[in-house]
Amino acid sequence: MENKDLTLVVNTLKEHGYKLTSPRKQIVEYMISTHSHPTAEMIHREVKNLPVSTIYNTLEILIKLHLVIEIDNKNDDKTHYDYFGTPHYHVVCTNCGKIVDAEQFDFSKLPESAEKETGYQVTGVSIEVFGLCPDCQKLKDK
Ligand SMILES: [Zn+2]
Ligand SMILES: [Zn+2]
Protein backbone atom coordinates (compact mmCIF):
# COMPACT_ATOMS: atom_id res chain seq x y z
CA MET A 1 0.00 0.00 0.00
CA GLU A 2 1.41 3.34 -1.05
CA ASN A 3 0.82 5.38 2.11
CA LYS A 4 1.61 8.77 0.64
CA ASP A 5 -1.16 8.23 -1.91
CA LEU A 6 -3.66 7.33 0.79
CA THR A 7 -2.65 10.42 2.77
CA LEU A 8 -3.09 12.56 -0.34
CA VAL A 9 -6.59 11.19 -0.95
CA VAL A 10 -7.64 11.49 2.71
CA ASN A 11 -6.41 15.09 2.88
CA THR A 12 -8.03 16.07 -0.41
CA LEU A 13 -11.36 14.54 0.66
CA LYS A 14 -11.18 16.36 3.98
CA GLU A 15 -10.29 19.68 2.35
CA HIS A 16 -13.44 19.43 0.26
CA GLY A 17 -15.64 18.38 3.15
CA TYR A 18 -15.98 14.68 2.31
CA LYS A 19 -15.77 12.04 5.00
CA LEU A 20 -13.62 8.97 4.48
CA THR A 21 -16.26 6.37 5.26
CA SER A 22 -15.21 2.75 5.43
CA PRO A 23 -16.66 1.88 1.98
CA ARG A 24 -14.95 4.91 0.44
CA LYS A 25 -11.66 3.88 2.06
CA GLN A 26 -11.98 0.36 0.64
CA ILE A 27 -12.54 1.74 -2.86
CA VAL A 28 -9.72 4.28 -2.54
CA GLU A 29 -7.28 1.63 -1.32
CA TYR A 30 -8.22 -0.65 -4.18
CA MET A 31 -7.86 2.14 -6.76
CA ILE A 32 -4.42 3.09 -5.41
CA SER A 33 -3.16 -0.49 -5.34
CA THR A 34 -4.45 -1.69 -8.71
CA HIS A 35 -2.77 -0.98 -12.01
CA SER A 36 -5.42 -2.78 -14.03
CA HIS A 37 -7.52 0.28 -14.99
CA PRO A 38 -10.72 -1.46 -13.84
CA THR A 39 -14.30 -0.92 -14.95
CA ALA A 40 -16.96 -0.28 -12.30
CA GLU A 41 -17.95 -3.96 -12.56
CA MET A 42 -14.37 -5.03 -11.89
CA ILE A 43 -14.22 -2.76 -8.83
CA HIS A 44 -17.52 -4.22 -7.65
CA ARG A 45 -16.07 -7.72 -7.97
CA GLU A 46 -12.80 -6.90 -6.19
CA VAL A 47 -14.08 -4.69 -3.37
CA LYS A 48 -16.41 -7.04 -1.56
CA ASN A 49 -19.86 -6.33 -0.13
CA LEU A 50 -20.41 -2.85 -1.50
CA PRO A 51 -23.47 -1.79 -3.49
CA VAL A 52 -22.74 -0.65 -7.05
CA SER A 53 -24.30 2.73 -6.23
CA THR A 54 -21.65 3.34 -3.53
CA ILE A 55 -18.93 2.54 -6.04
CA TYR A 56 -20.33 4.97 -8.60
CA ASN A 57 -20.87 7.69 -5.96
CA THR A 58 -17.33 7.33 -4.66
CA LEU A 59 -15.84 7.32 -8.16
CA GLU A 60 -17.80 10.46 -8.98
CA ILE A 61 -16.30 12.27 -5.96
CA LEU A 62 -12.78 11.06 -6.77
CA ILE A 63 -13.14 12.16 -10.40
CA LYS A 64 -14.36 15.60 -9.32
CA LEU A 65 -11.29 15.94 -7.10
CA HIS A 66 -9.00 14.78 -9.96
CA LEU A 67 -7.85 11.76 -7.96
CA VAL A 68 -9.33 9.32 -10.45
CA ILE A 69 -9.73 9.69 -14.19
CA GLU A 70 -12.09 8.00 -16.62
CA ILE A 71 -10.63 6.20 -19.61
CA ASP A 72 -12.77 5.16 -22.54
CA ASN A 73 -11.57 1.91 -23.95
CA LYS A 74 -12.55 1.60 -27.58
CA ASN A 75 -11.98 -2.14 -27.48
CA ASP A 76 -14.70 -3.03 -24.97
CA ASP A 77 -16.69 0.24 -25.10
CA LYS A 78 -16.63 0.43 -21.30
CA THR A 79 -15.47 3.20 -19.03
CA HIS A 80 -12.36 2.29 -17.08
CA TYR A 81 -11.17 4.08 -13.97
CA ASP A 82 -7.66 4.90 -12.91
CA TYR A 83 -6.09 6.40 -9.80
CA PHE A 84 -4.42 9.62 -10.91
CA GLY A 85 -2.92 11.10 -7.75
CA THR A 86 0.43 10.43 -9.36
CA PRO A 87 0.56 11.90 -12.88
CA HIS A 88 1.33 9.33 -15.52
CA TYR A 89 0.42 8.53 -19.06
CA HIS A 90 -1.08 5.52 -20.76
CA VAL A 91 0.21 3.31 -23.49
CA VAL A 92 -2.74 1.56 -25.13
CA CYS A 93 -2.57 -1.51 -27.37
CA THR A 94 -4.57 -0.85 -30.55
CA ASN A 95 -5.16 -4.58 -31.01
CA CYS A 96 -6.24 -5.97 -27.60
CA GLY A 97 -6.90 -2.73 -25.72
CA LYS A 98 -4.51 -3.47 -22.86
CA ILE A 99 -3.52 -0.27 -21.02
CA VAL A 100 -0.25 0.11 -19.16
CA ASP A 101 1.05 3.01 -17.06
CA ALA A 102 4.23 4.91 -17.88
CA GLU A 103 5.69 7.65 -15.76
CA GLN A 104 8.98 8.72 -17.29
CA PHE A 105 7.69 11.96 -18.68
CA ASP A 106 7.77 15.49 -17.31
CA PHE A 107 4.17 16.68 -16.91
CA SER A 108 5.04 19.72 -14.83
CA LYS A 109 5.14 22.30 -17.63
CA LEU A 110 2.23 20.94 -19.66
CA PRO A 111 -0.77 22.55 -17.85
CA GLU A 112 0.93 25.92 -17.76
CA SER A 113 1.88 25.97 -21.42
CA ALA A 114 -1.63 24.77 -22.36
CA GLU A 115 -3.16 27.61 -20.36
CA LYS A 116 -0.83 30.14 -21.95
CA GLU A 117 -1.61 28.97 -25.43
CA THR A 118 -5.39 28.56 -25.12
CA GLY A 119 -6.52 30.70 -22.18
CA TYR A 120 -8.26 27.63 -20.71
CA GLN A 121 -8.12 27.03 -17.00
CA VAL A 122 -6.57 23.56 -16.99
CA THR A 123 -8.07 21.13 -14.47
CA GLY A 124 -6.45 17.89 -15.55
CA VAL A 125 -4.04 16.22 -17.92
CA SER A 126 -4.39 12.91 -19.66
CA ILE A 127 -2.17 11.49 -22.37
CA GLU A 128 -2.55 8.30 -24.35
CA VAL A 129 0.08 6.74 -26.52
CA PHE A 130 -0.98 3.98 -28.92
CA GLY A 131 0.83 0.96 -30.21
CA LEU A 132 1.01 -2.84 -30.26
CA CYS A 133 1.70 -4.54 -26.92
CA PRO A 134 4.45 -7.21 -26.74
CA ASP A 135 1.87 -10.05 -26.71
CA CYS A 136 0.16 -8.76 -29.84
CA GLN A 137 3.51 -8.21 -31.55
CA LYS A 138 4.30 -11.89 -30.96
CA LEU A 139 0.95 -12.98 -32.44
CA LYS A 140 1.54 -10.80 -35.48
CA ASP A 141 4.96 -12.33 -36.13
CA LYS A 142 3.58 -15.88 -36.33
ZN1 LIG B 1 -2.22 -6.16 -27.31
ZN1 LIG C 1 -2.98 4.61 -15.33
Side-chain angles (χ1 to χ4, degrees), residues 1-2 4 7 13-14 26 31 35 37 40 42 50 57 64 72 84 86 89 92 95-96 99 101 106 120 124 127 142:
M1 171 62 48
E2 291 103 295
K4 78 173 164 49
T7 310
L13 284 173
K14 250 194 229 156
Q26 278 174 266
M31 289 309 293
H35 292 283
H37 307 94
M42 285 158 77
L50 291 184
N57 286 341
K64 205 158 71 183
D72 289 320
F84 213 68
T86 310
Y89 67 97
V92 185
N95 188 50
C96 69
I99 305 166
D101 291 331
D106 184 4
Y120 277 47
I127 296 176
K142 268 177 197 159

Side-chain angles (χ1 to χ4, degrees), residues 5-28:
D5 287 310
L6 189 60
T7 310
L8 172 79
V9 174
V10 172
N11 289 343
T12 310
L13 284 173
K14 250 194 229 156
E15 259 170 50
H16 292 83
Y18 295 104
K19 283 204 201 90
L20 188 72
T21 57
S22 158
R24 282 180 188 165
K25 184 159 186 252
Q26 278 174 266
I27 295 165
V28 165

Side-chain angles (χ1 to χ4, degrees), residues 57-72:
N57 286 341
T58 305
L59 286 172
E60 208 174 292
I61 294 167
L62 295 170
I63 289 165
K64 205 158 71 183
L65 301 176
H66 307 299
L67 294 166
V68 163
I69 56 166
E70 292 176 292
I71 308 167
D72 289 320

Side-chain angles (χ1 to χ4, degrees), residues 45-83:
R45 229 178 298 136
E46 295 298 322
V47 185
K48 302 273 188 296
N49 303 319
L50 291 184
V52 187
S53 60
T54 305
I55 292 169
Y56 277 111
N57 286 341
T58 305
L59 286 172
E60 208 174 292
I61 294 167
L62 295 170
I63 289 165
K64 205 158 71 183
L65 301 176
H66 307 299
L67 294 166
V68 163
I69 56 166
E70 292 176 292
I71 308 167
D72 289 320
N73 192 327
K74 279 130 208 124
N75 282 66
D76 61 7
D77 276 327
K78 284 184 178 153
T79 304
H80 293 246
Y81 298 90
D82 190 22
Y83 174 69

